[in-house]
Amino acid sequence: MNFFPKKSLGQNFLLNKKIIKEIVKVGNITNKDIVIEIGPGTGNLTEEIVKKKPYKFFAIEKDENLFLKLKQKFIKDIHLINEDILKIDWNNFSNKKLLVFGNLPYNISAKLLIDWIRLNNLNILFSKFILMFQKEVAERVVAKVNTKQYGRLTILTNWKMNAQKIFDIDPDNFYPKPKVKSSLVIFEPKDDFFNFNNSKNLEKVTDIFFQNKRKMIKKPLNILFKNPERVIKKFGLDINSRPQNIDPLTFFKISKEYELENN
Ligand code: SAH
């Protein structure tokens, strides 16, 4: 390759053609779709997406050098944007649902996921997200209750999205080779989700519960509620259980109770 990948921008380019094709296939792109790729890099996925002839195709790349190269290569096919993905105002980006692809730096994927979950109209703005994560993070996103991986990220994701891990990808398939394994996850926004006046209440409640996930739930309940006994009774909670034993729906209900008590 005739340039030096930038570590600061988490540049690990996916080189395995077979895997690239499989990722694009997961998106099921039709000629009606508005696709957006974030962090296209050298255009590996980009090229395969173009072949599927989406109705419209945006790509957002922060690295100016890569942006200029992509511009030469895909001049007719893509609306390229040289911007930091974290600065995009999704409410004003498109008036049709977006299908998102992203093999981004892992810290950025996780941050974006939370930003998206906070959007009130997530299901209006997006149809699907196909994103790469560090394997351990992907496992936390899709974890089942009563497992070690189950936690805040699982509950917040479950609130707004159906998420599924598709496959794992070995470091050997990237250049330069990342230190960790990766996993591809597909997310579909839910049309029906538990209603909060402010998502901060769910964030706060799960934050307090999972600050010490090995401890029993009595302590977070004491912190959050004036009368924890009433909440325990109302939701039939077992005070000997730990945060990892409480399913997402129960967390939503506890958070709603917290919201009602604090407004
Ligand atoms: N998707 C490509 C590149 C992966 S490397 C592939 O699979 O081969 C990650 C890419 O994300 C790099 O091109 C990097 O420059 C870009 N990137 C990193 N941070 C970004 C940000 N905040 N906004 C937009 N692009 C970013």
Side-chain angles (χ1 to χ4, degrees):
M1 241 172 253
N2 59 354
F3 68 97
F4 295 102
K6 291 197 182 87
K7 229 183 177 162
S8 63
L9 286 174
Q11 293 180 348
N12 299 95
F13 302 104
L14 184 56
L15 300 182
N16 184 320
K17 266 270 178 229
K18 189 165 162 266
I19 295 174
I20 291 168
K21 282 189 190 238
E22 281 179 49
I23 294 175
V24 173
K25 212 169 127 195
V26 170
N28 231 335
I29 300 171
T30 73
N31 60 7
K32 294 197 177 66
D33 282 314
I34 304 188
V35 175
I36 175 163
E37 188 190 358
I38 47 191
T42 48
N44 301 328
L45 275 159
T46 322
E47 204 175 327
E48 280 309 308
I49 296 171
V50 166
K51 285 188 196 159
K52 304 285 179 195
K53 300 196 181 345
Y55 176 65
K56 245 190 204 169
F57 186 9
F58 296 94
I60 302 182
E61 173 56 61
K62 185 173 174 184
D63 185 327
E64 198 182 351
N65 288 328
L66 290 176
F67 164 79
L68 293 171
K69 283 193 180 141
L70 288 165
K71 215 169 164 175
Q72 288 175 355
K73 193 167 168 190
F74 297 104
I75 190 141
K76 308 185 305 302
D77 309 303
I78 310 182
H79 302 270
L80 260 179
I81 303 164
N82 184 205
E83 180 59 281
D84 181 341
I85 189 72
L86 296 172
K87 295 193 177 137
I88 300 294
D89 171 9
W90 296 106
N91 276 301
N92 293 309
F93 191 87
S94 162
N95 50 13
K96 287 224 182 98
K97 285 193 190 189
L98 297 168
L99 166 55
V100 181
F101 284 89
N103 171 27
L104 279 164
Y106 298 124
N107 57 332
I108 305 244
S109 303
K111 183 159 190 323
L112 270 176
L113 177 60
I114 299 293
D115 285 351
W116 282 325
I117 288 168
R118 286 178 180 146
L119 293 170
N120 288 329
N121 47 357
L122 180 74
N123 61 325
I124 310 292
L125 299 177
F126 299 96
S127 62
K128 249 181 268 178
F129 302 89
I130 294 145
L131 304 174
M132 194 90 80
F133 287 90
Q134 180 177 337
K135 185 166 180 264
E136 286 74 16
V137 177
E139 283 167 353
R140 279 163 47 207
V141 167
V142 301
K144 297 274 177 284
V145 64
N146 297 319
T147 64
K148 191 164 97 252
Q149 288 83 5
Y150 180 79
R152 229 179 145 239
L153 194 56
T154 323
I155 296 159
L156 292 178
T157 303
N158 183 287
W159 173 38
K160 287 280 189 78
M161 310 256 220
N162 289 310
Q164 207 188 337
K165 186 156 86 96
I166 307 290
F167 49 69
D168 299 330
I169 303 171
D170 276 338
D172 290 344
N173 298 298
F174 297 86
Y175 174 83
K177 236 161 96 166
K179 289 196 183 69
V180 294
K181 278 196 173 192
S182 312
S183 304
L184 190 74
V185 184
I186 178 165
F187 299 86
E188 290 184 62
K190 292 180 180 178
D191 287 321
D192 265 321
F193 50 88
F194 202 97
N195 179 51
F196 295 103
N197 293 334
N198 190 339
S199 69
K200 291 271 177 281
N201 292 311
L202 178 61
E203 295 188 39
K204 168 145 191 209
V205 167
T206 50
D207 194 22
I208 289 186
F209 269 84
F210 284 93
Q211 265 168 22
N212 210 327
K213 59 184 179 184
R214 271 167 286 274
K215 292 237 172 90
M216 287 180 240
I217 61 168
K218 194 69 201 280
K219 194 174 161 209
L221 288 169
N222 283 337
I223 296 173
L224 290 163
F225 294 101
K226 284 186 222 90
N227 184 351
E229 292 306 325
R230 186 185 61 82
V231 177
I232 289 166
K233 227 171 157 186
K234 180 163 182 183
F235 300 118
L237 303 175
D238 172 1
I239 51 157
N240 295 316
S241 57
R242 293 166 212 279
Q244 280 164 330
N245 308 123
I246 298 183
D247 62 30
L249 182 59
T250 306
F251 268 113
F252 304 154
K253 290 180 183 165
I254 295 171
S255 305
K256 189 73 200 176
E257 196 68 20
Y258 175 80
E259 180 170 278
L260 292 170
E261 221 179 87
N262 291 279
N263 277 336

